[in-house]
Amino acid sequence: MKENHEPSDVEDYLTCISESSYLMHNFSDRLNAAIRSKKTPALVGLDPRFDWLPAEIVSAAEAKHSSKADIVAAAFEEFCFRMIDVVAPLVPAVKPQAAFFEEWGPAGCAALQRVIKKAREAGLVVICDAKRGDIGSTAEAYARGYLAGADPESAIWAADCLTVNPYLGSDTLEPFVKVAVERGAGIYVLVRTSNPGAGTFQDRQTDGHTLYECVAAVVNDLALNTTGEGNYGAIGAVVGATYPEELSQLRALMPHAPLLVPGYGSQGAGAGDVAGAFDTEGLGAIINSSRGINFAIRKAPYSEKYAPEEWEQAVEAATHDMIADLAEHTPAGNLQ
């Protein structure tokens, strides 16, 4: 370990980290241990929508609070707490969407903090989906605020991991990588997203390579430099399930980057579409479903099997169905 050295970039910084201390809490090692323990790469997004919440939760919040912001924040918190109680025994990780909480100001942000804390206490890996991105001290402030990593007390938001927008360039990523390595946290960098308009920018070509391929190359280099005991690093990529051929291509281009794959379920992708994200052991990717799990009670077959007040049973059933679907149609079956 070098002394009296101020790192000028990520690579220099990584040489300053004690390898033994880093390997003890490497993000990918912790995530893969959780995936192996639960025998599934299923990830449940926590995306509360006030108009879709169970009536009992809304009524309880209205009985305790008068302002709309406080009512919504309290309802979101109870809903997510109960979601966590249902899914914690079943899946390795959850992904709260920060925007739904931030919309409601201080009350919503405080609820998000408590939801993350609750999930960590339940033994879940927490990926905070906030898509932050900036440079210099501002990016570092985002990183230090969100990324607690191995020790939940290391950051006010206490997340294991954070989604990051790389649009400003490689110096957007450097502060996040530094904090992630320091704390045993991780980041997922937006590479190929699942939204219909993704190609407007991401498909643009320079010197024969698309923008998303250029970002993927940077991500894989960072991942390679942050590997723990396994093959995967602390720096991962968000790659949408709605582009299955490109998902397989990007798995090959980023062999050391763990993948966060949105788009399964409500966005239209099935288990077969995400099969290319995995290695032969069923590792290397975590597959997200948010609305399809959170509000399973709103659609068949769960709406036909359960009464509205049995929404938690619908959540549990939908989670089991997702786990079984991934096990049957992807290499995740090798985890069983």
Side-chain angles (χ1 to χ4, degrees):
M1 182 175 179
K2 297 179 182 179
E3 298 180 355
N4 301 320
H5 174 65
E6 288 291 326
S8 58
D9 55 27
V10 171
E11 287 74 18
D12 285 342
Y13 180 77
L14 294 174
T15 66
C16 298
I17 297 293
S18 165
E19 182 177 355
S20 61
S21 64
Y22 175 58
L23 291 178
M24 288 171 56
H25 57 252
N26 175 270
F27 169 72
S28 285
D29 290 345
R30 293 192 296 112
L31 177 61
N32 285 340
I35 290 171
R36 287 190 176 101
S37 175
K38 301 295 175 62
K39 300 180 180 181
T40 182
L43 166 67
V44 174
L46 300 177
D47 288 21
R49 317 287 179 94
F50 187 72
D51 291 342
W52 292 2
L53 294 184
E56 58 170 306
I57 290 179
V58 174
S59 296
E62 290 175 337
K64 294 178 182 178
H65 303 281
S66 56
S67 77
K68 184 62 178 286
D70 288 340
I71 290 169
V72 174
F76 282 7
E77 183 174 334
E78 182 181 348
F79 177 73
C80 290
F81 273 32
R82 291 168 67 173
M83 281 286 305
I84 290 166
D85 287 339
V86 173
V87 304
L90 306 177
V91 300
V94 291
K95 182 177 70 66
Q97 170 52 257
F100 291 117
F101 296 88
E102 292 172 355
E103 178 184 4
W104 298 98
C109 291
L112 173 62
Q113 182 190 32
R114 290 190 290 269
V115 166
I116 293 174
K117 184 175 185 290
K118 164 80 171 178
R120 294 295 302 262
E121 290 173 348
L124 291 162
V125 174
V126 178
I127 302 166
C128 186
D129 193 356
K131 298 180 179 68
R132 296 298 187 246
D134 214 305
I135 58 173
S137 59
T138 308
E140 184 169 355
Y142 279 136
R144 294 198 173 280
Y146 280 97
L147 292 175
D151 177 8
E153 300 300 320
S154 294
I156 194 70
W157 295 105
D160 291 276
C161 187
L162 179 69
T163 54
V164 174
N165 187 332
Y167 190 75
L168 275 69
S170 60
D171 48 348
T172 293
L173 302 180
E174 289 172 4
F176 291 100
V177 175
K178 289 180 181 180
V179 175
V181 171
E182 173 188 316
R183 295 181 176 177
I187 63 171
Y188 283 104
V189 180
L190 303 181
V191 173
R192 183 57 162 146
T193 55
S194 59
N195 56 300
T200 304
F201 295 148
Q202 294 169 22
D203 287 347
R204 295 284 180 175
Q205 293 203 6
T206 302
D207 298 329
H209 297 286
T210 62
L211 176 60
Y212 72 79
E213 289 171 332
C214 296
V215 177
V218 173
V219 168
N220 190 62
D221 285 344
L222 294 171
L224 179 60
N225 284 322
T226 57
T227 54
E229 295 178 351
N231 186 52
Y232 297 102
I235 313 307
V238 177
V239 181
T242 48
Y243 303 97
E245 291 183 4
E246 292 166 3
L247 176 58
S248 297
Q249 171 203 10
L250 287 165
R251 172 74 287 162
L253 287 175
M254 298 183 290
H256 298 287
L259 303 183
L260 167 56
V261 183
Y264 173 91
S266 294
Q267 291 189 47
D273 296 317
V274 305
F278 297 99
D279 63 25
T280 56
E281 296 181 59
L283 298 173
I286 193 159
I287 312 301
N288 181 72
S289 180
S290 299
R291 282 172 291 167
I293 303 291
N294 290 205
F295 303 108
I297 195 66
R298 294 174 60 88
K299 65 178 185 179
Y302 312 107
S303 59
E304 299 165 351
K305 293 181 179 179
Y306 303 104
E309 63 271 17
E310 296 175 318
W311 65 272
E312 286 154 302
Q313 292 172 254
V315 166
E316 183 177 10
T319 305
H320 277 297
D321 288 346
M322 179 185 180
I323 291 168
D325 192 28
L326 294 174
E328 181 178 356
H329 296 104
T330 79
N334 294 325
L335 295 165
Q336 298 293 310

